[in-house]
């Protein structure tokens, strides 16, 4: 039942966009947890990361920085595998929940937005994770440059972004044809809505990584089938079959390109690549 227009909703106040135009998640922790990690979608996301992170990263217990670490699921995954983790998160409510869930783990907590990390967590870091963050920022291109500046030579960045092309395809499947034609895909960052304000394309990640001197060493799609199903899995057998499909094709072209999220391993080379000399020089 809808509320009268003069009635103010109860519950915590949802934060507006930050001064930089970014979407933080104060007042949204409960919805964030239910929407992004509840049910089959969250199970698939975590199960696929459990498979892909060891495949796509060279892990040897190195300290790591978790940027926009949210509720702490990713930080917990790395901490359980021997990494000393620094979790940076701008939203106080999210950070408090992460502290509670990761109590006793080798995790340091910093309340800070990505833009301030060169001052509060400069590194250089041999391993950084930034999952599902850039799409909530007003300037994701500058954010990627900031992350690149935090990496040590040879350092790895595990980057996961919300896929704009998948969002378009999903809108078509749902019948939002005019919206897809007009390319009105971004969210506005208002109220309780969780449509990202800056969904990204693979082409953008390719171009911006090159600008920052980062090499793409691996890419995968997260949830390449699930989000287009007409009906969710009805039983455990269906869920297992869906997970098997997601695992089999998450790194296979062309399927990975329509993952709801795109997962990258970006590496800062040990030394910059020099331009080839012109003949006769």
């Amino acid at each position: 039942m809808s509320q009268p227009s003069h009635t103010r909703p109860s519950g915590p106040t949802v934060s507006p966009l930050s001064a930089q135009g970014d979407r933080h998640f104060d007042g949204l922790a409960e919805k964030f947890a239910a929407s992004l990690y509840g049910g089959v979608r969250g199970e698939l996301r975590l199960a696929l990361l459990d498979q892909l992170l060891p495949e796509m990263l060279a892990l040897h217990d190195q300290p790591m920085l978790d940027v926009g670490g949210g509720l702490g699921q990713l930080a917990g995954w790395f901490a359980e595998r021997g990494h000393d983790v620094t979790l940076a998160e701008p939203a106080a409510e999210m950070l408090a929940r992460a502290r509670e869930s990761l109590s006793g783990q080798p995790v340091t907590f910093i309340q800070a937005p990505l833009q301030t990390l060169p001052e509060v967590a400069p590194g250089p870091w041999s391993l950084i994770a930034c999952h599902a963050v850039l799409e909530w920022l007003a300037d994701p291109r500058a954010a990627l440059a900031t992350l690149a500046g935090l990496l040590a030579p040879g350092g790895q960045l595990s980057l996961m972004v919300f896929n704009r092309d998948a969002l378009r395809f999903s809108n078509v499947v749902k019948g939002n044809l005019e919206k897809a034609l007009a390319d009105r895909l971004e969210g506005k960052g208002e109220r309780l809505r969780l449509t990202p304000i800056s969904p990204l394309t693979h082409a953008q990640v390719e171009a911006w990584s090159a600008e920052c001197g980062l090499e793409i060493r691996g890419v995968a799609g997260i949830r390449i089938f699930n989000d287009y199903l007409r009906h969710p899995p009805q039983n455990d057998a269906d869920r297992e079959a869906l997970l098997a499909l997601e695992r089999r094709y998450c790194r296979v072209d062309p399927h990975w390109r329509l993952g709801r999220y795109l997962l990258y391993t970006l590496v800062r080379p040990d030394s910059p690549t020099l331009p080839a000399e012109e003949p006769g020089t």
Side-chain angles (χ1 to χ4, degrees), residues 89-248:
E89 166 59 45
E93 181 186 8
M94 302 284 278
L95 197 65
R97 290 191 175 217
R99 285 182 187 274
E100 181 178 356
S101 66
L102 297 173
S103 177
Q105 297 274 30
V107 180
T108 300
F109 300 90
I110 300 174
Q111 185 175 355
L114 183 151
Q115 294 88 342
T116 67
L117 293 179
E119 289 76 43
V120 300
W125 297 89
S126 59
L127 180 60
I128 298 175
C130 183
H131 285 196
V133 174
L134 296 195
E135 60 262 29
W136 299 106
L137 306 182
D139 192 350
R141 185 179 188 176
L144 183 56
T146 297
L147 294 172
L150 297 173
L151 279 174
Q156 303 169 95
L157 169 61
S158 179
L159 179 72
M160 189 167 75
V161 301
F162 195 94
N163 183 2
R164 185 183 185 93
D165 293 327
L167 183 57
R168 182 183 299 103
F169 197 85
S170 178
N171 271 282
V172 173
V173 170
K174 294 174 183 177
N176 300 326
L177 306 185
E178 293 299 327
K179 182 177 180 180
L181 276 172
D183 206 34
R184 297 193 311 271
L185 303 176
E186 301 90 347
K188 297 181 179 180
E190 297 176 346
R191 300 186 297 278
L192 296 176
R193 298 186 183 276
L194 290 179
T195 301
I197 63 174
S198 299
L200 303 180
T201 67
H202 175 62
Q204 287 176 310
V205 174
E206 280 188 310
W208 298 348
S209 297
E211 289 175 358
C212 299
L214 300 180
E215 297 178 359
I216 297 178
R217 297 283 178 87
V219 61
I222 303 294
R223 299 205 319 255
I224 59 177
F225 297 120
N226 176 78
D227 290 35
Y228 309 111
L229 294 178
R230 294 183 180 180
H231 305 288
Q234 300 299 306
N235 52 53
D236 289 342
D238 286 347
R239 292 159 85 103
E240 287 299 318
L242 177 59
L243 177 57
L245 282 166
E246 297 278 1
R247 283 177 165 161
R248 180 180 298 178

Side-chain angles (χ1 to χ4, degrees), residues 45-62:
R45 175 172 170 172
L46 295 176
L48 289 164
L49 288 176
D50 189 56
Q51 169 192 328
L52 289 168
L53 291 176
E55 291 179 0
M56 296 176 65
L57 296 169
L59 301 177
H60 45 83
D61 302 340
Q62 65 267 54

Side-chain angles (χ1 to χ4, degrees), residues 25-34 71 93-94 97:
F25 289 95
D26 287 305
L28 282 168
E30 193 67 38
K31 181 176 177 62
F32 185 91
L71 299 171
E93 181 186 8
M94 302 284 278
R97 290 191 175 217

